[in-house]
Amino acid sequence: MGIAERKEREKEEMRELILRAASKIFLEEGYEKTSIRKIADAIEYSPATIYLYYRDKNELLHGLHVEAFQKMMQEFSKIAPINDPFARLVEMGHQYIKFGTQNPELYNLMFLMDAPMEALACRNEIWDDGLRAFDALRIVVADCIEAGYFKEPDVETISMTIWSYIHGLVTIYLKGRMKMFDDDRELERMQQSFALFIKMIKAI
Amino acid sequence: MGIAERKEREKEEMRELILRAASKIFLEEGYEKTSIRKIADAIEYSPATIYLYYRDKNELLHGLHVEAFQKMMQEFSKIAPINDPFARLVEMGHQYIKFGTQNPELYNLMFLMDAPMEALACRNEIWDDGLRAFDALRIVVADCIEAGYFKEPDVETISMTIWSYIHGLVTIYLKGRMKMFDDDRELERMQQSFALFIKMIKAI
DNA sequence: TTGTTTGGTAAACACTGTTTAGTACATTTG
DNA sequence: CAAATGTACTAAACAGTGTTTACCAAACAA
């Protein structure tokens, strides 16, 4: 019976159609302006239809959040060719900062917004995307330890500390909290801080 | 002519009445549920009245944000008696983590939300509260340098790096991104990471 | 050809921040 | 003191928001 399969396929296509429209509006106009009605308008369906494919807005935003993680992981894949593990870790940091500063709305969705987490919570699922990204960091950190770069053996704690630092840096910048230094040297300040942090982790 | 003064005083009292109601709702029910109508209900005035005392919701939230900074700075004042500058810096970190984890809504308002920053932007003002808090950190860092704890002389960069780290740690926790480690050792993980970070800055 | 399932929607519900027009009262002026 | 002005306040409307309900028409199965 191929009819059920076709329906399943059509259902998936519709989910994708909605997600594409949502993604377009989200990236072009930001989260604030991404309303269910606007998405419905874009695909020329009624707002209620969206609720036949996504249980609520949180689920829809979670869908965008998954795509955002795919995009970030793709950026991370660029560092694979770097042989020296410490150089690879440093480059991973650069890529993270670059991704965050160039995709503010996505970064917000991935690491700050409640919506995608609430979608996971009500499905009793774990934050798999975050875990996979963190794993990518863990692996590089483990490689650094193995190569003798760090004396400290706790991969998890080192990784957490590195992520905390770089996430804090990016978030301070994205949320406009670096504008307090009146000058326009925000990105320069980030580079300087990052350089110092690299020096710091060299010593552990 | 004391009549103008009285009116000025009454205006200030009304602003305070609104802020108190807003603060109460914000702390008890969170940002999401802090609506103009709810605040108006609480003080038994119409919603439109609030707009005679605050130009918009951003201004009102900025008012709460100022109070939040006062509260945090008060917590920071506890560290003054500590003589050793490095011990003072460590304790400042502890107080920061404590404040953030125990006042999630306030922390959000102070360091993540757009509203208070937009209120400042449209008044062409600088983020003075943030700057003062950062100054508190700068002073302790400068004391550490003077006492010979750090070889690195750039107070600004060191302070920025420390703030980034601790802000990142608190934010990851507050935004539920630490729940990916299924176990319930979130606070323990924070303590471990913080301990490692202290080790790291000892070496700069 | 029935009967049932399915995909889609109009309209409503209960909210949101904000603005406008108008009222009742306090204050100032002639 | 009375008339004119100024001020504090609000009801109602505007333009949105996420979400649910009741209903319709077309597709499917018997």
Side-chain angles (χ1 to χ4, degrees):
Chain A
M1 185 83 38
I3 208 159
E5 288 170 18
R6 195 208 61 200
K7 291 227 167 177
E8 188 60 42
R9 208 170 52 234
E10 281 175 350
K11 191 137 192 152
E12 196 44 57
E13 275 167 19
M14 190 66 171
R15 277 179 69 92
E16 192 56 29
L17 181 69
I18 294 167
L19 202 63
R20 292 273 58 73
S23 178
K24 193 173 156 64
I25 296 168
F26 189 85
L27 291 173
E28 285 175 7
E29 310 188 49
Y31 162 70
E32 291 277 315
K33 299 203 168 178
T34 308
S35 71
I36 299 288
R37 278 174 180 81
K38 207 162 193 167
I39 297 166
D41 269 6
I43 58 171
E44 293 175 300
Y45 279 84
S46 95
T49 302
I50 291 177
Y51 287 88
L52 300 175
Y53 297 90
Y54 291 91
R55 66 176 296 160
D56 56 22
K57 204 185 177 186
N58 287 345
E59 282 248 335
L60 190 48
L61 288 171
H62 177 263
L64 297 180
H65 148 284
V66 170
E67 293 196 335
F69 266 96
Q70 284 167 358
K71 187 172 176 176
M72 191 182 75
M73 292 304 267
Q74 203 182 315
E75 305 289 319
F76 282 169
S77 71
K78 290 179 187 168
I79 66 161
I82 301 170
N83 275 316
D84 179 62
F86 193 80
R88 198 154 68 243
L89 181 64
V90 172
E91 187 53 26
M92 197 175 185
H94 279 131
Q95 291 295 335
Y96 191 98
I97 293 171
K98 195 180 162 196
F99 179 85
T101 53
Q102 290 181 357
N103 306 281
E105 296 281 358
L106 289 186
Y107 192 88
N108 203 26
L109 189 62
M110 294 160 78
F111 299 113
L112 294 169
M113 278 182 57
D114 295 329
M117 293 295 125
E118 277 165 14
L120 288 172
C122 85
R123 283 189 290 173
N124 277 79
E125 282 178 32
I126 211 81
W127 190 38
D128 216 58
D129 301 278
L131 209 54
R132 274 203 301 275
F134 190 70
D135 270 336
L137 173 60
R138 267 198 282 225
I139 289 165
V140 182
V141 169
D143 290 348
C144 283
I145 294 172
E146 205 172 354
Y149 279 104
F150 304 144
K151 264 170 277 177
E152 166 69 43
D154 189 345
V155 183
E156 195 106 337
T157 303
I158 297 174
S159 303
M160 191 68 220
T161 305
I162 294 173
W163 180 33
S164 291
Y165 163 73
I166 207 139
H167 169 63
L169 188 71
V170 171
T171 304
I172 287 169
Y173 171 75
L174 288 182
K175 292 297 165 184
R177 262 62 176 188
M178 260 172 87
K179 287 185 192 135
M180 65 177 177
F181 310 116
D182 213 4
D183 53 19
D184 288 314
R185 292 172 43 241
E186 300 188 341
L187 289 173
E188 193 187 322
R189 281 170 192 276
M190 286 177 85
Q191 292 306 326
Q192 280 175 8
S193 171
F194 185 67
L196 176 63
F197 187 75
I198 294 304
K199 258 196 211 172
M200 284 168 59
I201 56 174
K202 254 184 189 147
I204 55 170
Chain B
M1 187 85 36
I3 209 160
E5 288 170 18
R6 192 208 64 200
K7 290 225 167 176
E8 188 59 41
R9 205 170 56 235
E10 280 174 352
K11 191 136 192 153
E12 197 43 58
E13 274 168 18
M14 189 67 170
R15 279 180 67 93
E16 192 56 29
L17 181 70
I18 294 167
L19 202 64
R20 289 274 59 74
S23 177
K24 191 172 157 67
I25 296 168
F26 189 85
L27 291 173
E28 285 175 7
E29 310 189 46
Y31 161 70
E32 292 278 313
K33 301 204 167 179
T34 309
S35 71
I36 299 289
R37 278 174 178 82
K38 207 161 192 169
I39 297 165
D41 269 6
I43 58 172
E44 292 176 300
Y45 278 84
S46 98
T49 301
I50 291 175
Y51 287 88
L52 300 173
Y53 297 90
Y54 290 91
R55 68 175 296 158
D56 56 22
K57 204 186 177 184
N58 286 346
E59 282 247 336
L60 191 48
L61 289 172
H62 178 263
L64 296 181
H65 149 283
V66 169
E67 292 195 336
F69 266 96
Q70 283 168 359
K71 187 172 177 177
M72 191 183 73
M73 291 303 268
Q74 204 184 315
E75 305 290 319
F76 282 169
S77 72
K78 289 180 188 167
I79 65 161
I82 301 169
N83 276 315
D84 179 61
F86 194 80
R88 200 155 66 243
L89 181 64
V90 172
E91 188 52 27
M92 198 174 184
H94 278 131
Q95 290 296 334
Y96 191 97
I97 291 171
K98 193 180 163 196
F99 179 84
T101 51
Q102 292 182 355
N103 305 280
E105 296 281 357
L106 288 186
Y107 192 88
N108 202 26
L109 188 63
M110 293 161 80
F111 299 114
L112 294 169
M113 280 183 57
D114 294 329
M117 293 294 125
E118 277 165 13
L120 288 173
C122 88
R123 282 189 290 175
N124 276 82
E125 283 177 33
I126 213 78
W127 190 37
D128 215 59
D129 300 279
L131 209 53
R132 274 203 301 275
F134 190 70
D135 269 338
L137 174 59
R138 266 199 283 226
I139 288 166
V140 181
V141 169
D143 289 348
C144 285
I145 294 172
E146 206 173 354
Y149 278 105
F150 304 145
K151 265 172 274 176
E152 166 70 42
D154 189 346
V155 183
E156 195 107 337
T157 303
I158 297 175
S159 304
M160 190 68 218
T161 305
I162 294 172
W163 181 32
S164 291
Y165 162 73
I166 207 140
H167 169 63
L169 188 71
V170 171
T171 305
I172 287 169
Y173 170 75
L174 287 183
K175 291 298 164 183
R177 262 66 176 184
M178 260 172 88
K179 287 186 193 133
M180 65 176 177
F181 309 114
D182 214 3
D183 53 17
D184 288 315
R185 291 172 44 241
E186 301 188 339
L187 289 172
E188 194 187 323
R189 281 170 193 275
M190 287 177 85
Q191 293 305 326
Q192 279 175 6
S193 171
F194 185 67
L196 176 62
F197 187 75
I198 294 305
K199 258 195 211 170
M200 283 168 60
I201 56 174
K202 254 183 190 148
I204 53 170

